[in-house]
Amino acid sequence: MKRLHVHIAVDDLQRSVDFYSTLFAARPSVLKDDYAKWMLEDPRVNLAISARGAAPGVEHLGIQAETGEELAEVYARLKEADAPVLEEGATVCCYAQSEKSWVNDPAGVPWEVFHTVGESAVYGGGPEVEGERLAATPTGMAIPAAACCPAPASAPKAETATSGCCG
């Protein structure tokens, strides 16, 4: 069964750990100096928070597959979603070894689709933020943005969806 993933950037990790631990009546399953993660069953969510310099708020959303077969199923749907997909493949991210891909939804919200296969002693890099949006994965790969943000209504007709934030 797949699990919703939410990653939130915070400016005070301990205060946020205390808040979410109280909210979910559970301590984090992973707790580091700059990161915490809850693997909850009710609601079925992988909630991660990190204090790594990004603006506070939702950093990205995701779908965590429990098996390689589930990941392949979600990858097949990504190909039908009519948006550029970044196939990151095997990587280390958020203190975990994972297989993953990224896509931006039509509003520009980054979505991560992944299957975790093991733990890691290192975070795996830092996210690149551009205008309060994740511009690169936590391992440094640029997230495709060509379909993410339409040109502003006031933009000249020559300006395309790949200019500005999608550049």
Side-chain angles (χ1 to χ4, degrees), residues 87-120:
E87 296 177 11
E88 193 167 5
T91 189
V92 172
C93 177
C94 303
Y95 299 99
Q97 298 173 27
S98 299
E99 167 78 23
K100 67 176 63 185
S101 287
W102 294 83
V103 65
N104 282 343
D105 75 8
V109 176
W111 279 80
E112 171 186 30
V113 177
F114 65 101
H115 174 229
T116 299
V117 296
E119 296 179 4
S120 172

Short mmCIF file of all heavy atoms in Angstrom, two decimals, residues 87-120:
data_model
loop_
_atom_site.label_atom_id
_atom_site.label_comp_id
_atom_site.label_asym_id
_atom_site.label_seq_id
_atom_site.Cartn_x
_atom_site.Cartn_y
_atom_site.Cartn_z
N GLU A 87 13.96 11.41 -13.85
CA GLU A 87 14.24 10.08 -13.32
C GLU A 87 15.59 10.12 -12.62
O GLU A 87 16.62 10.01 -13.24
CB GLU A 87 14.21 9.05 -14.45
CG GLU A 87 12.84 8.93 -15.08
CD GLU A 87 12.80 7.96 -16.25
OE1 GLU A 87 13.78 7.22 -16.46
OE2 GLU A 87 11.79 7.97 -16.96
N GLU A 88 15.54 10.32 -11.30
CA GLU A 88 16.77 10.43 -10.52
C GLU A 88 17.41 9.08 -10.30
O GLU A 88 18.62 8.97 -10.17
CB GLU A 88 16.47 11.13 -9.18
CG GLU A 88 17.71 11.55 -8.45
CD GLU A 88 17.43 12.48 -7.31
OE1 GLU A 88 16.26 12.76 -7.00
OE2 GLU A 88 18.41 12.94 -6.70
N GLY A 89 16.61 8.02 -10.24
CA GLY A 89 17.15 6.68 -10.06
C GLY A 89 17.59 6.43 -8.63
O GLY A 89 17.05 7.01 -7.68
N ALA A 90 18.58 5.56 -8.47
CA ALA A 90 19.08 5.22 -7.13
C ALA A 90 19.84 6.41 -6.56
O ALA A 90 20.72 6.96 -7.22
CB ALA A 90 19.98 3.99 -7.21
N THR A 91 19.49 6.80 -5.34
CA THR A 91 20.10 7.97 -4.73
C THR A 91 20.03 7.90 -3.22
O THR A 91 19.32 7.07 -2.66
CB THR A 91 19.42 9.26 -5.24
OG1 THR A 91 20.16 10.39 -4.80
CG2 THR A 91 17.98 9.35 -4.78
N VAL A 92 20.78 8.76 -2.57
CA VAL A 92 20.71 8.92 -1.12
C VAL A 92 20.07 10.27 -0.85
O VAL A 92 20.51 11.29 -1.38
CB VAL A 92 22.10 8.85 -0.47
CG1 VAL A 92 22.03 9.20 1.02
CG2 VAL A 92 22.71 7.47 -0.65
N CYS A 93 19.02 10.26 -0.06
CA CYS A 93 18.29 11.47 0.23
C CYS A 93 17.58 11.31 1.57
O CYS A 93 16.99 10.26 1.84
CB CYS A 93 17.27 11.74 -0.87
SG CYS A 93 16.25 13.17 -0.57
N CYS A 94 17.64 12.33 2.40
CA CYS A 94 16.89 12.33 3.66
C CYS A 94 17.25 11.13 4.54
O CYS A 94 16.36 10.49 5.10
CB CYS A 94 15.39 12.41 3.40
SG CYS A 94 14.93 13.84 2.42
N TYR A 95 18.53 10.85 4.61
CA TYR A 95 19.05 9.75 5.43
C TYR A 95 18.51 8.39 5.00
O TYR A 95 18.39 7.48 5.81
CB TYR A 95 18.77 10.00 6.91
CG TYR A 95 19.44 11.26 7.43
CD1 TYR A 95 18.74 12.44 7.56
CD2 TYR A 95 20.79 11.25 7.73
CE1 TYR A 95 19.36 13.60 8.02
CE2 TYR A 95 21.44 12.40 8.18
CZ TYR A 95 20.70 13.57 8.32
OH TYR A 95 21.32 14.71 8.77
N ALA A 96 18.19 8.25 3.71
CA ALA A 96 17.68 6.98 3.20
C ALA A 96 18.21 6.72 1.80
O ALA A 96 18.50 7.64 1.05
CB ALA A 96 16.15 7.01 3.17
N GLN A 97 18.34 5.45 1.45
CA GLN A 97 18.68 5.02 0.10
C GLN A 97 17.37 4.74 -0.62
O GLN A 97 16.55 3.97 -0.13
CB GLN A 97 19.54 3.77 0.14
CG GLN A 97 20.85 3.95 0.86
CD GLN A 97 21.58 2.64 1.01
OE1 GLN A 97 21.41 1.72 0.23
NE2 GLN A 97 22.40 2.55 2.05
N SER A 98 17.18 5.39 -1.76
CA SER A 98 15.91 5.26 -2.47
C SER A 98 16.10 5.23 -3.97
O SER A 98 17.12 5.67 -4.50
CB SER A 98 14.99 6.45 -2.14
OG SER A 98 14.70 6.51 -0.77
N GLU A 99 15.09 4.75 -4.64
CA GLU A 99 14.93 4.85 -6.08
C GLU A 99 13.84 5.89 -6.26
O GLU A 99 12.77 5.77 -5.65
CB GLU A 99 14.50 3.50 -6.66
CG GLU A 99 14.00 3.54 -8.07
CD GLU A 99 15.12 3.61 -9.11
OE1 GLU A 99 16.25 3.23 -8.81
OE2 GLU A 99 14.82 4.07 -10.22
N LYS A 100 14.06 6.94 -7.09
CA LYS A 100 13.04 7.99 -7.17
C LYS A 100 13.03 8.74 -8.47
O LYS A 100 13.99 8.74 -9.22
CB LYS A 100 13.19 8.98 -6.01
CG LYS A 100 14.44 9.82 -6.06
CD LYS A 100 14.47 10.83 -4.93
CE LYS A 100 14.50 10.12 -3.61
NZ LYS A 100 14.41 11.01 -2.46
N SER A 101 11.88 9.39 -8.69
CA SER A 101 11.69 10.33 -9.79
C SER A 101 10.93 11.53 -9.25
O SER A 101 10.31 11.46 -8.19
CB SER A 101 10.88 9.68 -10.92
OG SER A 101 11.66 8.74 -11.62
N TRP A 102 10.99 12.63 -10.00
CA TRP A 102 10.34 13.88 -9.61
C TRP A 102 9.51 14.42 -10.77
O TRP A 102 9.86 14.23 -11.93
CB TRP A 102 11.39 14.94 -9.26
CG TRP A 102 12.21 14.63 -8.06
CD1 TRP A 102 13.32 13.83 -8.00
CD2 TRP A 102 12.00 15.12 -6.75
NE1 TRP A 102 13.80 13.80 -6.73
CE2 TRP A 102 13.02 14.59 -5.93
CE3 TRP A 102 11.06 15.96 -6.17
CZ2 TRP A 102 13.12 14.86 -4.58
CZ3 TRP A 102 11.15 16.24 -4.82
CH2 TRP A 102 12.17 15.70 -4.03
N VAL A 103 8.44 15.12 -10.43
CA VAL A 103 7.62 15.80 -11.42
C VAL A 103 6.99 17.01 -10.73
O VAL A 103 6.76 16.98 -9.52
CB VAL A 103 6.52 14.85 -11.99
CG1 VAL A 103 5.53 14.44 -10.93
CG2 VAL A 103 5.84 15.45 -13.21
N ASN A 104 6.76 18.07 -11.49
CA ASN A 104 6.02 19.23 -10.97
C ASN A 104 4.59 19.13 -11.46
O ASN A 104 4.35 18.86 -12.64
CB ASN A 104 6.63 20.54 -11.45
CG ASN A 104 7.88 20.91 -10.69
OD1 ASN A 104 8.15 20.39 -9.62
ND2 ASN A 104 8.66 21.81 -11.26
N ASP A 105 3.62 19.39 -10.56
CA ASP A 105 2.23 19.41 -10.98
C ASP A 105 1.96 20.72 -11.74
O ASP A 105 2.84 21.58 -11.83
CB ASP A 105 1.28 19.18 -9.79
CG ASP A 105 1.13 20.38 -8.87
OD1 ASP A 105 1.62 21.49 -9.16
OD2 ASP A 105 0.49 20.20 -7.81
N PRO A 106 0.77 20.88 -12.34
CA PRO A 106 0.50 22.10 -13.12
C PRO A 106 0.64 23.40 -12.33
O PRO A 106 0.88 24.46 -12.92
CB PRO A 106 -0.94 21.89 -13.60
CG PRO A 106 -1.08 20.41 -13.68
CD PRO A 106 -0.29 19.89 -12.49
N ALA A 107 0.52 23.36 -11.00
CA ALA A 107 0.69 24.56 -10.18
C ALA A 107 2.15 24.79 -9.80
O ALA A 107 2.46 25.76 -9.12
CB ALA A 107 -0.17 24.45 -8.91
N GLY A 108 3.04 23.88 -10.21
CA GLY A 108 4.45 24.03 -9.89
C GLY A 108 4.88 23.34 -8.61
O GLY A 108 6.02 23.48 -8.19
N VAL A 109 3.99 22.57 -7.99
CA VAL A 109 4.33 21.88 -6.74
C VAL A 109 5.15 20.63 -7.09
O VAL A 109 4.70 19.79 -7.86
CB VAL A 109 3.07 21.48 -5.95
CG1 VAL A 109 3.43 20.67 -4.71
CG2 VAL A 109 2.26 22.71 -5.58
N PRO A 110 6.36 20.51 -6.52
CA PRO A 110 7.18 19.33 -6.80
C PRO A 110 6.62 18.08 -6.09
O PRO A 110 6.26 18.14 -4.92
CB PRO A 110 8.55 19.68 -6.22
CG PRO A 110 8.49 21.08 -5.75
CD PRO A 110 7.06 21.49 -5.70
N TRP A 111 6.55 16.99 -6.84
CA TRP A 111 6.13 15.69 -6.31
C TRP A 111 7.28 14.71 -6.50
O TRP A 111 7.86 14.61 -7.58
CB TRP A 111 4.90 15.18 -7.06
CG TRP A 111 3.63 15.79 -6.58
CD1 TRP A 111 3.13 17.02 -6.90
CD2 TRP A 111 2.71 15.20 -5.67
NE1 TRP A 111 1.95 17.22 -6.25
CE2 TRP A 111 1.66 16.12 -5.48
CE3 TRP A 111 2.66 13.98 -5.00
CZ2 TRP A 111 0.58 15.85 -4.66
CZ3 TRP A 111 1.58 13.72 -4.18
CH2 TRP A 111 0.56 14.66 -4.01
N GLU A 112 7.56 13.98 -5.45
CA GLU A 112 8.59 12.95 -5.44
C GLU A 112 7.88 11.60 -5.41
O GLU A 112 6.95 11.40 -4.64
CB GLU A 112 9.43 13.15 -4.17
CG GLU A 112 10.41 12.08 -3.85
CD GLU A 112 11.08 12.32 -2.49
OE1 GLU A 112 10.47 12.92 -1.59
OE2 GLU A 112 12.22 11.87 -2.34
N VAL A 113 8.31 10.67 -6.25
CA VAL A 113 7.78 9.31 -6.24
C VAL A 113 8.96 8.41 -5.97
O VAL A 113 9.96 8.46 -6.69
CB VAL A 113 7.12 8.98 -7.60
CG1 VAL A 113 6.64 7.54 -7.61
CG2 VAL A 113 5.97 9.93 -7.88
N PHE A 114 8.87 7.59 -4.90
CA PHE A 114 10.07 6.86 -4.49
C PHE A 114 9.76 5.56 -3.76
O PHE A 114 8.66 5.34 -3.28
CB PHE A 114 10.93 7.76 -3.59
CG PHE A 114 10.29 8.14 -2.28
CD1 PHE A 114 10.63 7.50 -1.10
CD2 PHE A 114 9.34 9.15 -2.22
CE1 PHE A 114 10.04 7.85 0.11
CE2 PHE A 114 8.76 9.52 -1.02
CZ PHE A 114 9.10 8.86 0.15
N HIS A 115 10.80 4.72 -3.72
CA HIS A 115 10.78 3.47 -2.96
C HIS A 115 12.08 3.45 -2.15
O HIS A 115 13.17 3.49 -2.72
CB HIS A 115 10.72 2.27 -3.91
CG HIS A 115 10.85 0.96 -3.22
ND1 HIS A 115 11.72 -0.01 -3.64
CD2 HIS A 115 10.22 0.44 -2.13
CE1 HIS A 115 11.61 -1.06 -2.85
NE2 HIS A 115 10.72 -0.80 -1.92
N THR A 116 11.95 3.42 -0.82
CA THR A 116 13.12 3.40 0.05
C THR A 116 13.60 1.97 0.21
O THR A 116 12.81 1.07 0.50
CB THR A 116 12.77 4.02 1.42
OG1 THR A 116 12.38 5.39 1.20
CG2 THR A 116 13.96 3.98 2.37
N VAL A 117 14.91 1.79 0.03
CA VAL A 117 15.48 0.44 0.11
C VAL A 117 16.45 0.27 1.27
O VAL A 117 16.92 -0.84 1.52
CB VAL A 117 16.16 0.05 -1.22
CG1 VAL A 117 15.13 -0.03 -2.34
CG2 VAL A 117 17.27 1.02 -1.58
N GLY A 118 16.79 1.35 1.98
CA GLY A 118 17.71 1.25 3.11
C GLY A 118 17.96 2.59 3.75
O GLY A 118 17.46 3.62 3.31
N GLU A 119 18.74 2.57 4.81
CA GLU A 119 19.08 3.79 5.54
C GLU A 119 20.41 4.32 5.07
O GLU A 119 21.18 3.63 4.40
CB GLU A 119 19.16 3.48 7.04
CG GLU A 119 17.84 3.05 7.64
CD GLU A 119 17.94 2.73 9.13
OE1 GLU A 119 19.02 2.92 9.73
OE2 GLU A 119 16.93 2.29 9.68
N SER A 120 20.70 5.58 5.44
CA SER A 120 21.97 6.22 5.13
C SER A 120 22.42 7.04 6.34
O SER A 120 21.58 7.60 7.05
CB SER A 120 21.82 7.14 3.91
OG SER A 120 23.00 7.90 3.72
#
